[in-house]
Amino acid sequence: MLYSLRKTLSASLIVCLAWLLTNPQANAQNALTYQTPPKEIADLVKAPSTPSVSFSRTGDFMLLLERSGNPSIEDLAQPELRIAGMRINPATNGPSRSGAVENVKIKMTKSGEEFQIKGLPANARLGGFSVSKDEKYAAVTNTTNTGISLWVVDLTTYEAKKLTDEIVNDVMGGTLSWTPDNKILLKAINPNRGQMPKAPLAPVGPTVQETSGNAAPSRTYQDLLANPHDEALFAYFMDSQLMMIDLDGKATPFGKPGMFKSVSVSPDGNYVMVDIIQRPFSYLVPASRFPYNVELWDRTGKNVKTMAELPLDEVRPTGFDATVTGPRSINWRADKPATLYWVETQDGGDGRVAMEERDIVYTLDAPFTAQRTKLVSTPYRYGGIYWSDDNFALFNERWSATRKQIVRVINPSKPGDNGRIIIERSSDDIYNDPGSPLFVTNEYGRSVIQRKGDEIFMTSEGGSPEGSMPYLSTFNAKTKTEKILWRSQAPYYERVVKVLNDNATEFVTVKESTDIQPNYWLVNTRRRVAPIQITNFDNPYESIKGINKQLVKYKRNDGLDLSAVLYTPEGYDPARDGRLPVLMWAYPREYKSAEVAAQVRGSQYRFTRLSWGSPLYWVTQGYAIMDQTEMPIVGEGDLEPNDFFLEQLVANAEAAIDYVVESGVGDRNRIGVGGHSYGAFMTANLLSHSNLFAAGIARSGAYNRTLTPFGFQYEQRTFWEAPDVYFNMAPFMHADKVKTPILLIHGEADNNSGTFPIQSERYYNALKGHGATTRLVFLPHESHGYAAEESILHTLWEQHQWLEKYVKNRK
């Protein structure tokens, strides 16, 4: 039997590697080079990536974007500036950590013809793809070791050419925009910015921060400004000059230089809205919350109106329903030539203040000399507007504390009329989610709702007790009823990605199954012809094509329905092969409703795709894997979920273990648990407050909640408002209770809010001080998600050694 053979080989491998872990305490102190996991795992990591797909607005063609593999550790070790919440490559004036496209092809949607783009740069590292309004051209940037240049692809001849030298300034994104007359508005480096500031040999004085008594609670951001030299570097790398680039590469300066946060061309091309960062900078919040001015420029680059001067956003109330005061979310209406809309809070940004009109949306037409018009208001928080035309739009409202989501139909031609509610639901409720609107392109090249009268075309994930079965529908805005036009059928997971005609009878889907690689299909429900496969992407994981995958359901001790996806090795038979070691992987979620928490999430028919952090690699090593193991934490009504975190977390784990054991698959004495980020936090808590597991793996977690005192995850209360919650939920506070071996892994350059590397360092010290069996691995140059191939392979090696010793071969 294939499974039995693998089990024998795995046992031999254990003997060969056992010496590596005979003295884990000494091993942890020794210098270690990058290691590689078993070949079956390493080969899966190195499997070629599948191209990503981007459709044209009309859907006539798609861009096939072939991405490079994982970078090397040498790539990650290049010089990097970590300032103002950003990570900048000083050699390129762009981001230091971003993926890249190395090749581009065009595939025609209906004919299936495929064309290679010719003339692309050698060793291409492409990004920032943007298609012109007439869809004749695509603009793209190319990054080398010395800078970023602008290129254009002619979509009629399939030829690429370089338009500029390496002048692009991409440190904050939003680099390029097409104008209606096929010019590119580019964010370029200011040619007059001078030399990069040099760090002083000695400081001119101390670094000082001061507050005058205004409360300024802030989450624990990473990579903030720390001194005057950081400020000078930030200003230097942000210094930009907008350039208008024509298709021949002629560059004309547009407007004055500045530190541009964002740039947006009006639908008719007659105005440009620019957000320009101002001083003073902050050492407390990232650049996205620095002061900025919103200016409106005409076609010549002249400022015709300063819409807003927004102050430093350091002082904000706590809670996820808190927001900034003053204008926010300033955008162009998609259905008008040059009309702005924005929202302003009326509660001082404090969600705890009771208000009938909490947020108000205003509009202002060009030439922006009239008074603003009040369009609509909400007692909740503004969640965005989907535009259709002057008589129809969808207004979204939300309230995070209760998970409330509301959608209203409004008539933009009747300002002040708040319209009527058509959808009201919990944002967590996937069984009753009608989905999101489909969009078509209007005369301005902008996306507007696809509808026929009151019938809105929608796509939904199609949550159900059997798992997700996506569907295409029409939703009637008057009757509040939906009509399903097409739905995915078992044993496939299939979803609509692009509708090609007005009545949604012709569309493109992406179709997949457990062992069938996702591919794109052309579907026509009117002609009732067989779907036509458009792409033929290969399965990169042929070696695990035959593994068993099952969506399993079970109950918690309080009756709450739970689920997980269970994987077992190819050819495995419980009756013949006996019980397996188990790796359980999970990530907790908070809910305000037990009924919603019990819903089945995900689909057993999805393709088994592996990411760098997946637990599925160990199915090749003879383990059963419980992935997406539901860990709901419920607090209904006025009760907060985290008041019951520990007891419900343990109950979730007990239920999952009971299921996998009673099914005959798992060995109760050989079950490991793991997770990343909040999943690592979960793992540490399970090992502190239960004796259910043989070992744990915790990657890039936060373990001391006093280091995140102004909220974490979905906890809105501060440490001072709920000290018992922060204490009880912090694994660091209970390090003395951990008797189960736990492996800690963390990126040394973690940039995620709350998960500073010191979290793992201090937790390890606490565990070591109480005699726990533990190992701490810091990955050089890695952030919250690991990128370098060497780091990924070594992480898998570390996890494999830990599982083999403390789970599979537990004594």
Side-chain angles (χ1 to χ4, degrees):
M1 310 303 179
L2 177 58
Y3 168 71
S4 301
L5 177 61
R6 284 181 178 167
K7 189 160 63 171
T8 302
L9 292 173
S10 181
S12 300
L13 181 64
I14 293 163
V15 174
C16 295
L17 295 176
W19 66 274
L20 287 171
L21 292 172
T22 54
N23 190 348
Q25 189 172 27
N27 189 39
Q29 307 304 318
N30 295 334
L32 186 66
T33 59
Y34 287 107
Q35 301 294 305
T36 301
K39 186 177 185 300
E40 299 96 330
I41 294 177
D43 287 348
L44 290 170
V45 172
K46 297 176 182 180
S49 59
T50 301
S52 58
V53 172
S54 178
F55 281 91
S56 64
R57 295 187 188 91
T58 59
D60 289 343
F61 65 88
M62 57 179 77
L63 297 173
L64 303 183
L65 309 177
E66 299 179 356
R67 298 187 174 274
S68 54
N70 296 312
S72 69
I73 194 65
E74 287 84 0
D75 293 329
L76 262 63
Q78 297 301 308
E80 177 181 67
L81 291 176
R82 302 173 188 172
I83 52 175
M86 301 188 299
R87 295 193 166 178
I88 299 170
N89 183 335
T92 66
N93 224 99
S96 61
R97 296 166 182 262
S98 60
V101 171
E102 59 185 8
N103 190 35
V104 184
K105 296 177 181 177
I106 303 292
K107 180 175 277 290
M108 309 311 293
T109 303
K110 293 185 177 180
S111 69
E113 288 182 282
E114 188 171 295
F115 303 93
Q116 170 65 51
I117 299 300
K118 299 179 290 291
L120 291 171
N123 302 314
R125 291 157 59 190
L126 308 175
F129 287 85
S130 179
V131 177
S132 63
K133 176 185 172 183
D134 61 11
E135 301 200 319
K136 291 182 179 179
Y137 303 95
V140 62
T141 61
N142 181 58
T143 303
T144 70
N145 292 333
T146 56
I148 306 172
S149 56
L150 176 67
W151 290 63
V152 69
V153 177
D154 188 321
L155 297 175
T156 61
T157 64
Y158 310 113
E159 294 276 355
K161 70 175 182 179
K162 185 177 180 180
L163 290 184
T164 74
D165 293 330
E166 294 177 333
I167 64 170
V168 178
N169 190 334
D170 194 28
V171 295
M172 211 170 193
T175 304
L176 55 91
S177 305
W178 282 98
T179 65
D181 57 350
N182 280 352
K183 293 182 179 179
I184 301 167
L185 185 58
L186 179 71
K187 194 189 297 183
I189 297 168
N190 183 358
N192 300 315
R193 71 177 179 177
Q195 297 295 313
M196 185 172 73
K198 294 182 179 180
L201 294 176
V204 297
T207 299
V208 177
Q209 298 184 61
E210 183 177 358
T211 180
S212 59
N214 293 323
S218 180
R219 295 175 78 85
T220 49
Y221 295 109
Q222 310 273 43
D223 302 334
L224 299 179
L225 298 178
N227 52 56
H229 179 61
D230 281 355
E231 293 190 56
L233 286 172
F234 173 75
Y236 173 81
F237 283 101
M238 283 295 298
D239 192 3
S240 303
Q241 171 67 61
L242 297 185
M243 295 282 187
M244 195 68 75
I245 314 291
D246 66 22
L247 294 175
D248 293 324
K250 179 182 177 182
T252 304
F254 184 82
K256 61 188 178 183
M259 294 182 287
F260 295 104
K261 183 178 181 180
S262 66
V263 179
S264 176
V265 180
S266 65
D268 64 3
N270 289 328
Y271 298 94
V272 176
M273 179 170 60
V274 293
D275 294 351
I276 309 174
I277 292 178
Q278 308 292 314
R279 294 179 184 271
F281 303 148
S282 172
Y283 293 7
L284 186 63
V285 294
S288 59
R289 294 174 63 171
F290 288 1
Y292 66 99
N293 292 348
V294 182
E295 297 181 4
L296 301 175
W297 295 357
D298 63 17
R299 290 176 65 92
T300 68
K302 177 184 176 183
N303 181 17
V304 297
K305 184 179 180 64
T306 298
M307 272 291 298
E309 295 179 347
L310 298 170
L312 175 64
D313 180 18
E314 274 189 352
V315 180
R316 188 188 292 190
T318 59
F320 295 114
D321 292 308
T323 190
V324 296
T325 57
R328 71 180 195 274
S329 300
I330 307 174
N331 290 292
W332 298 107
R333 274 184 62 167
D335 61 328
K336 289 286 189 178
T339 295
L340 291 170
Y341 69 102
W342 69 93
V343 61
E344 294 187 23
T345 183
Q346 308 300 301
D347 59 11
D350 191 346
R352 290 171 292 192
V353 176
M355 300 286 291
E356 290 186 7
E357 285 191 318
R358 187 177 301 280
D359 277 355
I360 298 177
V361 176
Y362 297 97
T363 65
L364 183 64
D365 295 329
F368 318 113
T369 54
Q371 293 295 311
R372 66 185 184 182
T373 299
K374 177 182 174 182
L375 178 65
V376 63
S377 65
T378 171
Y380 302 107
R381 280 287 176 243
Y382 165 79
I385 298 177
Y386 299 137
W387 300 98
S388 178
D389 55 38
D390 210 26
N391 298 306
F392 194 100
L394 296 179
F395 178 69
N396 296 279
E397 307 160 73
R398 60 173 178 79
W399 197 246
S400 294
T402 58
R403 313 301 197 270
K404 182 184 288 290
Q405 181 183 9
I406 294 174
V407 180
R408 275 190 273 160
V409 170
I410 60 172
N411 186 337
S413 68
K414 296 180 179 180
D417 183 350
N418 282 341
R420 63 184 186 278
I421 294 175
I422 62 169
I423 299 172
E424 185 170 5
R425 54 181 288 272
S426 166
S427 58
D428 290 331
D429 182 1
I430 60 174
Y431 287 5
N432 297 291
D433 181 8
S436 302
L438 291 168
F439 296 91
V440 294
T441 303
N442 64 9
E443 66 270 30
Y444 302 114
R446 303 300 172 99
S447 295
V448 293
I449 299 168
Q450 182 170 355
R451 67 184 181 92
K452 284 190 173 181
D454 290 310
E455 300 283 343
I456 307 165
F457 290 95
M458 309 267 280
T459 56
S460 173
E461 180 64 14
S464 75
E466 288 70 45
S468 295
M469 302 296 287
Y471 63 81
L472 169 69
S473 69
T474 56
F475 187 91
N476 190 293
K478 278 191 175 179
T479 63
K480 305 178 187 179
T481 58
E482 62 180 353
K483 177 183 177 182
I484 296 180
L485 305 176
W486 172 92
R487 188 165 197 156
S488 177
Q489 299 294 320
Y492 300 102
Y493 177 87
E494 189 173 7
R495 56 190 174 86
V496 174
V497 292
K498 187 67 179 181
V499 170
L500 302 179
N501 60 3
D502 291 342
N503 56 9
T505 58
E506 188 173 40
F507 46 88
V508 178
T509 67
V510 61
K511 181 179 180 180
E512 62 189 278
S513 190
T514 304
D515 56 0
I516 298 177
Q517 159 79 14
N519 270 291
Y520 291 81
W521 292 72
L522 181 63
V523 179
N524 193 310
T525 58
R526 179 179 57 190
R527 296 178 183 173
R528 300 190 181 278
V529 296
I532 300 171
Q533 187 169 347
I534 304 171
T535 62
N536 290 279
F537 302 139
D538 294 330
N539 183 348
Y541 311 119
E542 285 289 338
S543 63
I544 60 169
K545 189 174 182 178
I547 65 173
N548 305 306
K549 179 179 181 181
Q550 182 183 6
L551 177 65
V552 299
K553 304 176 187 178
Y554 46 92
K555 289 185 181 293
R556 200 164 74 180
N557 56 17
D558 58 1
L560 188 72
D561 291 323
L562 301 176
S563 64
V565 180
L566 178 64
Y567 298 83
T568 53
E570 180 180 358
Y572 170 71
D573 181 346
R576 182 188 64 232
D577 299 311
R579 296 182 180 275
L580 301 177
V582 180
L583 175 57
M584 184 185 300
W585 207 261
Y587 190 95
R589 288 191 61 185
E590 297 87 346
Y591 296 91
K592 294 297 292 179
S593 161
E595 180 183 5
V596 170
Q599 293 179 350
V600 175
R601 287 168 170 78
S603 169
Q604 63 180 317
Y605 304 123
R606 299 222 56 175
F607 177 65
T608 304
R609 186 173 295 283
L610 302 181
S611 65
W612 66 267
S614 174
L616 301 187
Y617 296 103
W618 282 275
V619 78
T620 69
Q621 305 300 305
Y623 290 75
I625 309 299
M626 289 193 80
D627 195 20
Q628 302 172 48
T629 310
E630 291 291 340
M631 293 281 175
I633 311 297
V634 183
E636 297 187 296
D638 294 331
L639 301 176
E640 290 297 327
N642 281 343
D643 293 338
F644 311 97
F645 182 85
L646 295 177
E647 61 197 73
Q648 292 191 29
L649 185 68
V650 172
N652 292 331
E654 287 176 335
I657 290 173
D658 287 345
Y659 172 83
V660 77
V661 171
E662 291 168 7
S663 68
V665 173
D667 180 343
R668 189 179 295 274
N669 295 317
R670 295 189 298 158
I671 300 178
V673 64
H676 188 84
S677 194
Y678 207 56
F681 172 76
M682 169 206 75
T683 298
N685 266 309
L686 283 171
L687 301 193
S688 294
H689 301 284
S690 76
N691 191 29
L692 298 170
F693 296 98
I697 297 171
R699 293 194 319 238
S700 298
Y703 309 104
N704 184 345
R705 285 305 171 193
T706 66
L707 299 179
T708 57
F710 289 105
F712 59 91
Q713 204 67 7
Y714 286 104
E715 178 55 64
Q716 301 192 72
R717 296 167 294 184
T718 70
F719 168 76
W720 297 273
E721 293 171 325
D724 289 346
V725 170
Y726 278 70
F727 180 88
N728 292 332
M729 288 182 66
F732 178 86
M733 306 301 180
H734 306 282
D736 59 318
K737 300 176 183 177
V738 177
K739 308 303 178 185
T740 303
I742 181 170
L743 171 65
L744 305 175
I745 303 177
H746 214 123
E748 281 188 346
D750 194 325
N751 60 340
N752 183 57
S753 175
T755 55
F756 286 92
I758 197 174
Q759 289 273 7
S760 287
E761 180 184 346
R762 294 304 184 197
Y763 186 46
Y764 170 79
N765 288 341
L767 292 169
K768 182 178 179 181
H770 287 93
T773 299
T774 184
R775 179 178 173 91
L776 172 61
V777 180
F778 273 128
L779 300 171
H781 306 294
E782 294 292 351
S783 58
H784 195 59
Y786 314 153
E789 183 172 294
E790 294 91 337
S791 300
I792 293 169
L793 291 173
H794 186 85
T795 296
L796 296 173
W797 178 83
E798 291 280 359
Q799 294 177 178
H800 181 68
Q801 303 306 309
W802 203 256
L803 292 170
E804 291 290 283
K805 179 170 185 178
Y806 293 112
V807 177
K808 179 184 279 188
N809 300 290
R810 182 185 185 190
K811 296 179 181 179

